[in-house]
Amino acid sequence: MAGPGLWFSLLLAAALAGRAAALWPWPQYIQTSESHYAIFPYNFQFRYHASSAAQPGCSVLDEAFQRYRDLLFSSSWWQPPERTRKQHAPEKSSLVILVSTPGCNELPSLESGENYTLTINDDHCFLLSETVWGALRGLETFSQLVWRSPEGTFFINKTEIEDFPRFPHRGLLLDTSRHYLPLTSILDTLDVMAYNKFNVFHWHLVDDSSFPYDSFTFPELTRKGSYDPATHIYTAQDVKEVIEYARLRGIRVLAEFDTPGHTLSWGPGAPGLLTPCYSGSHPTGTFGPVNPILNSTYEFMSAFFLEVSSVFPDFYLHLGGDEVDFTCWKSNPDIQSFMKKQGFGNDFKQLESFYVQTLLNIVSAYDKGYVVWQEVFDNKVKVRPDTIIQVWREETPVRYTKEMELITGAGFRALLSAPWYLNHIAYGPDWREVYMVEPLDFKGSPQQKALVIGGEACMWGEYVDSTNLAPRLWPRAGAVAERLWSSELVTSVDFAFKRLTRFRCELLRRGVQAQPLSVGYCEQEFEET
Amino acid sequence: MEHRGLGLLALLAALAPCCCAAPGPTLWPMPLSVKTSPRLLVLSRENFSIYHDPSSTAGPSCSLLQEAFRRYYDYIFDFNKSRLNPAKHNSAAELKQLLVSVVLESECDLYPSITSDESYTLAVEGPVAFLKANRVWGVLRGLETFSQLIYQDSYGTFTVNESNIIDSPRFPHRGILIDTARHFLPIKTILKTLDAMAFNKFNVLHWHIVDDQSFPYQSVAFPELSNKGSYSLSHVYTPNDVRTVIEYARLRGIRVIPEFDSPGHTQSWGKGQKNLLTPCYNGPKQSGTFGPINPILNSTYCFLSQFFKEVSTMFPDQFVHLGGDEVEFTCWESNPEVIAFMKKAGFGRDFQRLQSFYIQKLLGIVSTLNKGAIVWQEVFDDHAKLNPGTVVQVWKNEMYHVTQAAVTAAGFPVILSAPWYLDWISYGQDWRNYYKVDPLDFDGSQEQKKLVIGGEACLWGEYVDATNLTPRLWPRASAVGERLWSQQNIKDIEDAYDRLTIHRCRMTRRGIAAEPLFTGYCNF
């Protein structure tokens, strides 16, 4: 063994000896030693360096300092240490943060740098980053490095970490349509995402089952399309709260409004929007996808997405475009004659493309970028070259690795989700398969590989609501988080198992209902409230 | 991105997003006989009460019933949608009282047992409803049913249809197995599970309390067992904890059957009890590892006598579960003293006979303590000689019908668990498979079928702890609950789906984080 492999295994050995073994996800470069420093809750502070671009008043960091103080020391003594007892280890009384570029009030974006350097040695206890987002990642790492002796003293080992994410888009999808998730479930999930260095919350807001997004342009959508318009909705205030809560944790909110399929819940509140299905020459009273042949449809979409574009500040919107069922379109005589007029023949994919292209033009006009599910690519819809394609199907029409090859080969950016459908459960340690996925394991040039901007763990909601969301997500989604953050060399499942086991205990300590990986125990178990 | 493969179900749910049909009573598990009339009665928190009928053999001195009255009053009024009761909007008659009558000796201060009578009748008419049962155990089941009859109409009024219900369970042993050795479960989690069990008319908590991984049971006679064998000193059940669980269960008509599995599955015992486990050999030398309990030493049986004496006083139930499953013979085979013993005893190389030798001695010990024994099926499969009445629990999924037939043909009572290993999770609605099982679906005479005393849903703990136990258990175990309580002909699975969907919402309302069956929502 030589080269990076050797270098890496040496690091593993060193790290396993020390407390750094609890780190999740594993940093890009780390050096630790056995020598350590004491930390005392009564006087420890996070401080801004005098030449930092971020200074007191920086909302993102001020709040993060408070958060990490609580996470580190919440359940511990705040009294000064007894003077009589001799401390062998030197003390660190602050972590000094230096952010080199300003930007405390902005939103994280796909381009945001998240790199940081953490130095804990005799001279320094220092966190350096380009952006506040990098500082957030560094604070999380710092919090994972601090450990506690059996006597209750906090320590941190001498450590040098240089860290940055492998992929810029590390997402988690929640589905609030199949089951409504209370705001607290969403906010709690954002907290745990930050612990895992996820940075995109893909919010699959609406679908066939319900329309909980409270639109101010079209209030009837929620009034008629939500499970319960009094309780099972997200108001404008709720959405703002989610976005700000996410921002403070360096997480983008990527809203998905999936069309033209998966839209049954839109129908009751938007008469004329969905395609009436026919049986012979009579409408059956049931409805299919969005009706793509009416001008009124596009007027509606223009107004609706104008609202959405302003409510969700992220540059990207997710426009869905998956699983369009053609049977209803086929049954409808008006659609048949439209198809004939357009020269589409019997190719309903062309009709779908027609719809999607018109929609994309609308959204582009609002200065938004977009993400779509892979069918949009599979069905050869003409899309802007900067479109992001999300791969979700494991085997059809081709295996997902082939799909990644095709998409990047066509020059589009790709997001991988196919092997990361966490709603699919099985007996045993299924996080291993999730972990062993290599997103760039497909045939393609370096240019193609560079087009893979990341991936997402998906938690679809058919069988998931607030009763089982947290244990089903954590720590399984952690496996995806490390795959997307850490170096491609970090592939040892055994090493991951050890760290993830400890990390899940740390999650329990932080109050997260994370389920066990195997037999065993945590010092602090989850207690029902 | 997701609906593929769900087909019609998905479509139906999508077309009718409302999970909660018109308000009405939803019973789970379905009683033996239900007659409901369209005549409605209304109740109010202020005017309604549950009380003892003057004719009852139980009265206010029966704390089991007093507590149950209060509990169910709360379930009916506090855990429902907290809307204000509007002024009476219709002329419906009012239900003012539920009078509870115990006919025979109440058994108020006893523990429930395998022979406890759980039958009851419920007559709901205005202004007074009557719940009648032979024993308090039937009252508890009847109160649960009564609470399930009451619903809030769309104005928020508490409403109940006039009804007549006659009910008794199909099987007397309806259990849930929890495993506190692979992962420790805090007492709170166990008590919560007992609550949910009562909502589903389960009556046995099979407490698989220790195993290879840890020994959380704090023994008075052998404190080192948990001192050395538990995960940590805070991962321990003290005698007080155990008493808390037993009393909490008793108040809900639930038996607590402890399992101390041996001779296999005992690695954790070895840490606190020297010379109990068999030393394994590597050639002529001890390897430093240990196997099952050492069956050839007198000291072993001395220990077991003392230990099970304590267990039999700590746990009041008539039965103790002795395990006896999955004994690994390699260590015994490696040990020269064991081999010598085998030769002397004339067992040859048949280690099943050694295992049976052990089990028979253990069964002897337990029967002198006047306890009945339950064992896993291997004990029967390996031809150990069993006392009549020893209960055999069938857990191996392969050909379990054949095992059931064999065990009952030999005249032993059977508990069925094989199709109900709830720790085996998969995507989708696996509760349907649990529901479709019929425990008497095997070849055998009427007499044989009578020997099936019930079943248990098992939630082994390899991947389960307090974080995920509740949503993994409920409402999946509810499917088993109805199968064991309701009559054989209650098997319309779509009707079960509709009722169970609402029943799971009722459980969540009562504080049990029961997971959803499918897309939808709870209307509260």
Side-chain angles (χ1 to χ4, degrees), chain A residues 190-217:
Chain A
L190 289 167
D191 276 322
V192 196
M193 286 174 67
Y195 304 156
N196 285 274
K197 296 190 170 73
F198 275 113
N199 68 353
V200 178
F201 167 40
H202 177 165
W203 192 353
H204 187 85
L205 267 153
V206 303
D207 205 294
D208 284 333
S209 316
S210 76
F211 198 104
Y213 170 74
D214 194 14
S215 161
F216 54 80
T217 318

mmCIF file of all heavy atoms in Angstrom, chain A residues 190-217:
data_model
loop_
_atom_site.group_PDB
_atom_site.id
_atom_site.type_symbol
_atom_site.label_atom_id
_atom_site.label_comp_id
_atom_site.label_asym_id
_atom_site.label_seq_id
_atom_site.Cartn_x
_atom_site.Cartn_y
_atom_site.Cartn_z
ATOM 1 N N LEU A 190 -34.477 19.733 10.609
ATOM 2 C CA LEU A 190 -33.438 20.670 10.180
ATOM 3 C C LEU A 190 -32.271 20.682 11.168
ATOM 4 O O LEU A 190 -31.102 20.735 10.769
ATOM 5 C CB LEU A 190 -34.023 22.079 10.026
ATOM 6 C CG LEU A 190 -34.969 22.262 8.829
ATOM 7 C CD1 LEU A 190 -35.740 23.579 8.941
ATOM 8 C CD2 LEU A 190 -34.198 22.219 7.507
ATOM 9 N N ASP A 191 -32.575 20.591 12.448
ATOM 10 C CA ASP A 191 -31.507 20.525 13.451
ATOM 11 C C ASP A 191 -30.595 19.325 13.190
ATOM 12 O O ASP A 191 -29.376 19.452 13.156
ATOM 13 C CB ASP A 191 -32.109 20.380 14.858
ATOM 14 C CG ASP A 191 -32.500 21.722 15.458
ATOM 15 O OD1 ASP A 191 -31.753 22.691 15.249
ATOM 16 O OD2 ASP A 191 -33.547 21.788 16.118
ATOM 17 N N VAL A 192 -31.215 18.175 13.007
ATOM 18 C CA VAL A 192 -30.412 16.961 12.845
ATOM 19 C C VAL A 192 -29.670 16.994 11.508
ATOM 20 O O VAL A 192 -28.559 16.469 11.392
ATOM 21 C CB VAL A 192 -31.278 15.693 12.967
ATOM 22 C CG1 VAL A 192 -30.385 14.479 13.196
ATOM 23 C CG2 VAL A 192 -32.276 15.813 14.104
ATOM 24 N N MET A 193 -30.291 17.613 10.501
ATOM 25 C CA MET A 193 -29.586 17.777 9.226
ATOM 26 C C MET A 193 -28.281 18.534 9.436
ATOM 27 O O MET A 193 -27.227 18.158 8.907
ATOM 28 C CB MET A 193 -30.471 18.522 8.223
ATOM 29 C CG MET A 193 -31.596 17.678 7.648
ATOM 30 S SD MET A 193 -32.721 18.630 6.588
ATOM 31 C CE MET A 193 -31.625 19.013 5.208
ATOM 32 N N ALA A 194 -28.361 19.595 10.227
ATOM 33 C CA ALA A 194 -27.151 20.390 10.484
ATOM 34 C C ALA A 194 -26.098 19.545 11.202
ATOM 35 O O ALA A 194 -24.904 19.661 10.910
ATOM 36 C CB ALA A 194 -27.492 21.629 11.307
ATOM 37 N N TYR A 195 -26.535 18.669 12.129
ATOM 38 C CA TYR A 195 -25.560 17.809 12.821
ATOM 39 C C TYR A 195 -24.855 16.899 11.817
ATOM 40 O O TYR A 195 -23.748 16.441 12.049
ATOM 41 C CB TYR A 195 -26.241 16.922 13.870
ATOM 42 C CG TYR A 195 -27.059 17.653 14.914
ATOM 43 C CD1 TYR A 195 -28.091 17.003 15.593
ATOM 44 C CD2 TYR A 195 -26.805 18.989 15.217
ATOM 45 C CE1 TYR A 195 -28.848 17.668 16.554
ATOM 46 C CE2 TYR A 195 -27.571 19.656 16.169
ATOM 47 C CZ TYR A 195 -28.593 18.983 16.833
ATOM 48 O OH TYR A 195 -29.350 19.629 17.773
ATOM 49 N N ASN A 196 -25.540 16.596 10.701
ATOM 50 C CA ASN A 196 -24.991 15.692 9.683
ATOM 51 C C ASN A 196 -24.374 16.441 8.502
ATOM 52 O O ASN A 196 -24.022 15.835 7.503
ATOM 53 C CB ASN A 196 -26.089 14.765 9.171
ATOM 54 C CG ASN A 196 -26.445 13.669 10.154
ATOM 55 O OD1 ASN A 196 -25.814 12.626 10.184
ATOM 56 N ND2 ASN A 196 -27.454 13.912 10.989
ATOM 57 N N LYS A 197 -24.354 17.767 8.595
ATOM 58 C CA LYS A 197 -23.814 18.621 7.537
ATOM 59 C C LYS A 197 -24.593 18.513 6.224
ATOM 60 O O LYS A 197 -24.048 18.740 5.142
ATOM 61 C CB LYS A 197 -22.304 18.364 7.316
ATOM 62 C CG LYS A 197 -21.431 18.733 8.536
ATOM 63 C CD LYS A 197 -19.934 18.718 8.220
ATOM 64 C CE LYS A 197 -19.075 19.291 9.320
ATOM 65 N NZ LYS A 197 -18.917 18.458 10.523
ATOM 66 N N PHE A 198 -25.853 18.140 6.302
ATOM 67 C CA PHE A 198 -26.729 18.288 5.134
ATOM 68 C C PHE A 198 -26.935 19.769 4.877
ATOM 69 O O PHE A 198 -26.961 20.566 5.823
ATOM 70 C CB PHE A 198 -28.102 17.659 5.407
ATOM 71 C CG PHE A 198 -28.191 16.183 5.142
ATOM 72 C CD1 PHE A 198 -28.378 15.283 6.196
ATOM 73 C CD2 PHE A 198 -28.132 15.677 3.847
ATOM 74 C CE1 PHE A 198 -28.482 13.917 5.965
ATOM 75 C CE2 PHE A 198 -28.237 14.312 3.606
ATOM 76 C CZ PHE A 198 -28.418 13.434 4.668
ATOM 77 N N ASN A 199 -27.140 20.151 3.626
ATOM 78 C CA ASN A 199 -27.356 21.576 3.378
ATOM 79 C C ASN A 199 -28.534 21.900 2.467
ATOM 80 O O ASN A 199 -28.700 23.055 2.084
ATOM 81 C CB ASN A 199 -26.064 22.224 2.861
ATOM 82 C CG ASN A 199 -25.690 21.746 1.472
ATOM 83 O OD1 ASN A 199 -26.320 20.834 0.937
ATOM 84 N ND2 ASN A 199 -24.669 22.356 0.882
ATOM 85 N N VAL A 200 -29.347 20.908 2.113
ATOM 86 C CA VAL A 200 -30.541 21.213 1.306
ATOM 87 C C VAL A 200 -31.742 20.462 1.881
ATOM 88 O O VAL A 200 -31.712 19.234 2.023
ATOM 89 C CB VAL A 200 -30.374 20.789 -0.172
ATOM 90 C CG1 VAL A 200 -31.661 21.082 -0.957
ATOM 91 C CG2 VAL A 200 -29.197 21.502 -0.818
ATOM 92 N N PHE A 201 -32.772 21.206 2.222
ATOM 93 C CA PHE A 201 -34.041 20.599 2.590
ATOM 94 C C PHE A 201 -34.943 20.644 1.356
ATOM 95 O O PHE A 201 -35.393 21.705 0.952
ATOM 96 C CB PHE A 201 -34.663 21.347 3.771
ATOM 97 C CG PHE A 201 -36.108 21.003 4.039
ATOM 98 C CD1 PHE A 201 -36.566 19.684 3.937
ATOM 99 C CD2 PHE A 201 -37.015 21.990 4.397
ATOM 100 C CE1 PHE A 201 -37.897 19.370 4.180
ATOM 101 C CE2 PHE A 201 -38.354 21.677 4.647
ATOM 102 C CZ PHE A 201 -38.795 20.369 4.524
ATOM 103 N N HIS A 202 -35.139 19.494 0.742
ATOM 104 C CA HIS A 202 -36.014 19.386 -0.423
ATOM 105 C C HIS A 202 -37.422 19.143 0.108
ATOM 106 O O HIS A 202 -37.716 18.078 0.635
ATOM 107 C CB HIS A 202 -35.522 18.222 -1.294
ATOM 108 C CG HIS A 202 -36.376 17.946 -2.499
ATOM 109 N ND1 HIS A 202 -35.956 17.170 -3.550
ATOM 110 C CD2 HIS A 202 -37.626 18.330 -2.841
ATOM 111 C CE1 HIS A 202 -36.915 17.087 -4.468
ATOM 112 N NE2 HIS A 202 -37.935 17.767 -4.042
ATOM 113 N N TRP A 203 -38.250 20.145 -0.027
ATOM 114 C CA TRP A 203 -39.576 20.106 0.580
ATOM 115 C C TRP A 203 -40.612 19.747 -0.478
ATOM 116 O O TRP A 203 -41.018 20.596 -1.246
ATOM 117 C CB TRP A 203 -39.874 21.469 1.218
ATOM 118 C CG TRP A 203 -41.086 21.495 2.114
ATOM 119 C CD1 TRP A 203 -42.000 20.512 2.309
ATOM 120 C CD2 TRP A 203 -41.482 22.580 2.955
ATOM 121 N NE1 TRP A 203 -42.953 20.910 3.222
ATOM 122 C CE2 TRP A 203 -42.652 22.173 3.635
ATOM 123 C CE3 TRP A 203 -40.969 23.869 3.202
ATOM 124 C CZ2 TRP A 203 -43.317 23.018 4.539
ATOM 125 C CZ3 TRP A 203 -41.632 24.696 4.097
ATOM 126 C CH2 TRP A 203 -42.795 24.262 4.756
ATOM 127 N N HIS A 204 -40.969 18.478 -0.501
ATOM 128 C CA HIS A 204 -42.008 17.989 -1.411
ATOM 129 C C HIS A 204 -43.342 18.354 -0.762
ATOM 130 O O HIS A 204 -43.941 17.577 -0.039
ATOM 131 C CB HIS A 204 -41.863 16.488 -1.602
ATOM 132 C CG HIS A 204 -42.771 15.910 -2.640
ATOM 133 N ND1 HIS A 204 -42.473 15.896 -3.988
ATOM 134 C CD2 HIS A 204 -43.992 15.337 -2.532
ATOM 135 C CE1 HIS A 204 -43.463 15.328 -4.655
ATOM 136 N NE2 HIS A 204 -44.401 14.981 -3.785
ATOM 137 N N LEU A 205 -43.782 19.592 -1.067
ATOM 138 C CA LEU A 205 -44.874 20.186 -0.294
ATOM 139 C C LEU A 205 -46.228 19.591 -0.589
ATOM 140 O O LEU A 205 -47.035 19.371 0.313
ATOM 141 C CB LEU A 205 -44.931 21.693 -0.621
ATOM 142 C CG LEU A 205 -44.135 22.600 0.306
ATOM 143 C CD1 LEU A 205 -43.723 23.849 -0.439
ATOM 144 C CD2 LEU A 205 -44.970 22.976 1.521
ATOM 145 N N VAL A 206 -46.496 19.378 -1.858
ATOM 146 C CA VAL A 206 -47.854 18.974 -2.245
ATOM 147 C C VAL A 206 -47.773 17.784 -3.189
ATOM 148 O O VAL A 206 -46.741 17.524 -3.802
ATOM 149 C CB VAL A 206 -48.610 20.137 -2.938
ATOM 150 C CG1 VAL A 206 -48.665 21.349 -2.032
ATOM 151 C CG2 VAL A 206 -47.962 20.496 -4.265
ATOM 152 N N ASP A 207 -48.866 17.065 -3.283
ATOM 153 C CA ASP A 207 -48.916 15.893 -4.154
ATOM 154 C C ASP A 207 -50.395 15.529 -4.320
ATOM 155 O O ASP A 207 -51.274 16.268 -3.906
ATOM 156 C CB ASP A 207 -48.101 14.742 -3.542
ATOM 157 C CG ASP A 207 -47.591 13.759 -4.600
ATOM 158 O OD1 ASP A 207 -48.431 13.078 -5.226
ATOM 159 O OD2 ASP A 207 -46.364 13.689 -4.811
ATOM 160 N N ASP A 208 -50.636 14.352 -4.900
ATOM 161 C CA ASP A 208 -52.016 13.896 -5.057
ATOM 162 C C ASP A 208 -52.823 13.951 -3.761
ATOM 163 O O ASP A 208 -53.984 14.338 -3.748
ATOM 164 C CB ASP A 208 -52.032 12.428 -5.536
ATOM 165 C CG ASP A 208 -51.686 12.305 -7.009
ATOM 166 O OD1 ASP A 208 -51.937 13.269 -7.762
ATOM 167 O OD2 ASP A 208 -51.151 11.245 -7.397
ATOM 168 N N SER A 209 -52.195 13.547 -2.680
ATOM 169 C CA SER A 209 -52.957 13.301 -1.448
ATOM 170 C C SER A 209 -53.454 14.557 -0.760
ATOM 171 O O SER A 209 -54.557 14.575 -0.236
ATOM 172 C CB SER A 209 -52.102 12.525 -0.454
ATOM 173 O OG SER A 209 -51.435 11.486 -1.093
ATOM 174 N N SER A 210 -52.638 15.589 -0.723
ATOM 175 C CA SER A 210 -53.098 16.810 -0.064
ATOM 176 C C SER A 210 -52.266 18.000 -0.497
ATOM 177 O O SER A 210 -51.155 17.848 -1.004
ATOM 178 C CB SER A 210 -53.059 16.668 1.462
ATOM 179 O OG SER A 210 -51.736 16.760 1.949
ATOM 180 N N PHE A 211 -52.847 19.180 -0.276
ATOM 181 C CA PHE A 211 -52.218 20.435 -0.686
ATOM 182 C C PHE A 211 -52.104 21.338 0.538
ATOM 183 O O PHE A 211 -52.921 22.235 0.745
ATOM 184 C CB PHE A 211 -53.066 21.112 -1.769
ATOM 185 C CG PHE A 211 -52.319 22.160 -2.553
ATOM 186 C CD1 PHE A 211 -51.865 21.899 -3.838
ATOM 187 C CD2 PHE A 211 -52.057 23.421 -1.999
ATOM 188 C CE1 PHE A 211 -51.170 22.863 -4.569
ATOM 189 C CE2 PHE A 211 -51.353 24.377 -2.724
ATOM 190 C CZ PHE A 211 -50.909 24.103 -4.009
ATOM 191 N N PRO A 212 -51.088 21.104 1.375
ATOM 192 C CA PRO A 212 -51.004 21.878 2.618
ATOM 193 C C PRO A 212 -50.398 23.273 2.457
ATOM 194 O O PRO A 212 -50.471 24.064 3.393
ATOM 195 C CB PRO A 212 -50.108 21.006 3.511
ATOM 196 C CG PRO A 212 -49.256 20.248 2.562
ATOM 197 C CD PRO A 212 -50.080 20.023 1.330
ATOM 198 N N TYR A 213 -49.811 23.577 1.301
ATOM 199 C CA TYR A 213 -49.189 24.900 1.126
ATOM 200 C C TYR A 213 -50.279 25.959 0.960
ATOM 201 O O TYR A 213 -51.092 25.894 0.030
ATOM 202 C CB TYR A 213 -48.269 24.903 -0.105
ATOM 203 C CG TYR A 213 -47.803 26.288 -0.474
ATOM 204 C CD1 TYR A 213 -46.835 26.936 0.285
ATOM 205 C CD2 TYR A 213 -48.349 26.968 -1.565
ATOM 206 C CE1 TYR A 213 -46.430 28.223 -0.035
ATOM 207 C CE2 TYR A 213 -47.934 28.249 -1.896
ATOM 208 C CZ TYR A 213 -46.986 28.877 -1.131
ATOM 209 O OH TYR A 213 -46.580 30.151 -1.435
ATOM 210 N N ASP A 214 -50.304 26.905 1.869
ATOM 211 C CA ASP A 214 -51.348 27.915 1.894
ATOM 212 C C ASP A 214 -50.976 29.049 0.937
ATOM 213 O O ASP A 214 -50.217 29.946 1.291
ATOM 214 C CB ASP A 214 -51.485 28.431 3.325
ATOM 215 C CG ASP A 214 -52.759 29.219 3.524
ATOM 216 O OD1 ASP A 214 -53.649 29.151 2.651
ATOM 217 O OD2 ASP A 214 -52.856 29.898 4.563
ATOM 218 N N SER A 215 -51.532 29.001 -0.270
ATOM 219 C CA SER A 215 -51.205 29.998 -1.279
ATOM 220 C C SER A 215 -52.048 31.252 -1.072
ATOM 221 O O SER A 215 -53.250 31.161 -0.860
ATOM 222 C CB SER A 215 -51.482 29.410 -2.670
ATOM 223 O OG SER A 215 -51.600 30.446 -3.627
ATOM 224 N N PHE A 216 -51.393 32.414 -1.119
ATOM 225 C CA PHE A 216 -52.208 33.625 -0.969
ATOM 226 C C PHE A 216 -52.852 34.045 -2.284
ATOM 227 O O PHE A 216 -53.861 34.711 -2.307
ATOM 228 C CB PHE A 216 -51.434 34.774 -0.294
ATOM 229 C CG PHE A 216 -50.123 35.140 -0.941
ATOM 230 C CD1 PHE A 216 -50.075 35.932 -2.079
ATOM 231 C CD2 PHE A 216 -48.922 34.691 -0.388
ATOM 232 C CE1 PHE A 216 -48.865 36.281 -2.658
ATOM 233 C CE2 PHE A 216 -47.701 35.026 -0.972
ATOM 234 C CZ PHE A 216 -47.677 35.819 -2.107
ATOM 235 N N THR A 217 -52.250 33.626 -3.387
ATOM 236 C CA THR A 217 -52.867 33.924 -4.678
ATOM 237 C C THR A 217 -54.092 33.033 -4.903
ATOM 238 O O THR A 217 -55.085 33.467 -5.482
ATOM 239 C CB THR A 217 -51.861 33.695 -5.826
ATOM 240 O OG1 THR A 217 -50.595 34.209 -5.433
ATOM 241 C CG2 THR A 217 -52.313 34.368 -7.102
#
